[in-house]
Amino acid sequence: MPLDSYGVLAGTLHRHFRDRPETPGSPLRVGLEVDAPAGRHHCAVGLGADGEGPGRGPAGVRWKTLRLAASVLDPVPALGPGYHELSPYSGSGALDHLRHPALADRSGRLPAPLRRLRDRLSPPHPWVRGSGSDAAAALEALLVPGREVLVFGAPSARGLGMHDVHRNQGDPYGGRWWSRNGTWQDGAVLTRRPDGWYDVFLSAFAPQADRTDAEGRPAEEN
């Protein structure tokens, strides 16, 4: 089954910090404190660990940053501060790293001259592979205290906050997170710029597939 609950928290960024792992190999997290009408929300963006092992090390996490106009995120920018539950389908405001037209990688099926023109007018944003520390630095570069922020993911079961702020599909069969795969339930962090556009941070873990079926499970390559 997919996530028990999924939505977006809209608020104002109070501060951010790195949650240093207490033991070697434990996941590194970036914490965000976000102010909204219900109070201060504590959000955790898990970015993997810098140690050795599956899904860890230099290629343990992937991320991308991009800039989006508010219109491509409708209806979320108009929802107002607070937590909002989102239905897991296109058009609800939910995000899907692999299906949302503003986030998905480009197919490359255009003729080469048209593809080069498109990429010059709207540069592609490929996934970057690296360590949790590298990903944290990329996220922190977008975090400005006092700016409006959107945090997509799952609400915390205890207290105000958000977690699962990363890709939530494509986990392999037999893995710990297989049962939580689903489409249109991916996490992300967005901050609103003075010009009204949004800086966007997306992340995914190394084992997660880049092609999934209708249930968010890894799709077989043709």
Side-chain angles (χ1 to χ4, degrees):
M1 59 182 295
L3 299 179
D4 294 332
S5 187
Y6 172 78
V8 59
L9 169 66
T12 302
L13 181 64
H14 173 67
R15 73 180 185 112
H16 64 87
F17 57 92
R18 289 197 192 189
D19 183 6
R20 294 288 183 180
E22 297 181 358
T23 59
S26 296
L28 183 152
R29 296 181 176 89
V30 173
L32 283 68
E33 294 184 354
V34 179
D35 291 332
R40 184 158 292 165
H41 296 246
H42 299 268
C43 308
V45 184
L47 296 170
D50 290 336
E52 298 299 326
R56 299 177 179 173
V61 65
R62 295 174 290 159
W63 68 92
K64 69 165 64 177
T65 59
L66 60 154
R67 192 168 297 168
L68 296 178
S71 59
V72 305
L73 300 167
D74 285 342
V76 168
L79 291 178
Y83 174 74
H84 306 274
E85 193 78 9
L86 298 175
S87 299
Y89 58 79
S90 175
S92 71
L95 297 185
D96 189 306
H97 293 180
L98 310 180
R99 293 170 177 81
H100 193 291
L103 305 180
D105 291 335
R106 293 162 175 171
S107 66
R109 294 178 180 176
L110 290 173
L114 292 180
R115 189 167 62 250
R116 287 194 293 270
L117 176 61
R118 178 199 63 188
D119 291 347
R120 187 163 62 249
L121 296 174
S122 178
H125 301 276
W127 290 94
V128 179
R129 292 179 180 267
S131 68
S133 295
D134 295 333
L139 170 57
E140 290 163 344
L142 308 182
L143 300 177
V144 180
R147 280 192 181 177
E148 295 178 27
V149 63
L150 300 173
V151 182
F152 289 81
S156 298
R158 283 181 271 181
L160 298 174
M162 300 287 285
H163 63 106
D164 287 329
V165 186
H166 48 65
R167 183 180 296 179
N168 292 302
Q169 61 178 308
D171 280 289
Y173 177 76
R176 180 181 178 185
W177 309 113
W178 166 262
S179 64
R180 296 171 68 103
N181 281 329
T183 60
W184 295 99
Q185 60 167 20
D186 286 332
V189 177
L190 294 78
T191 60
R192 191 173 186 270
R193 297 164 48 82
D195 60 9
W197 286 54
Y198 284 87
D199 286 326
V200 182
F201 177 87
L202 312 177
S203 62
F205 299 112
Q208 293 178 317
D210 287 328
R211 294 183 65 249
T212 62
D213 62 18
E215 295 181 324
R217 297 170 176 173
E220 294 184 4
E221 297 289 342
N222 294 325

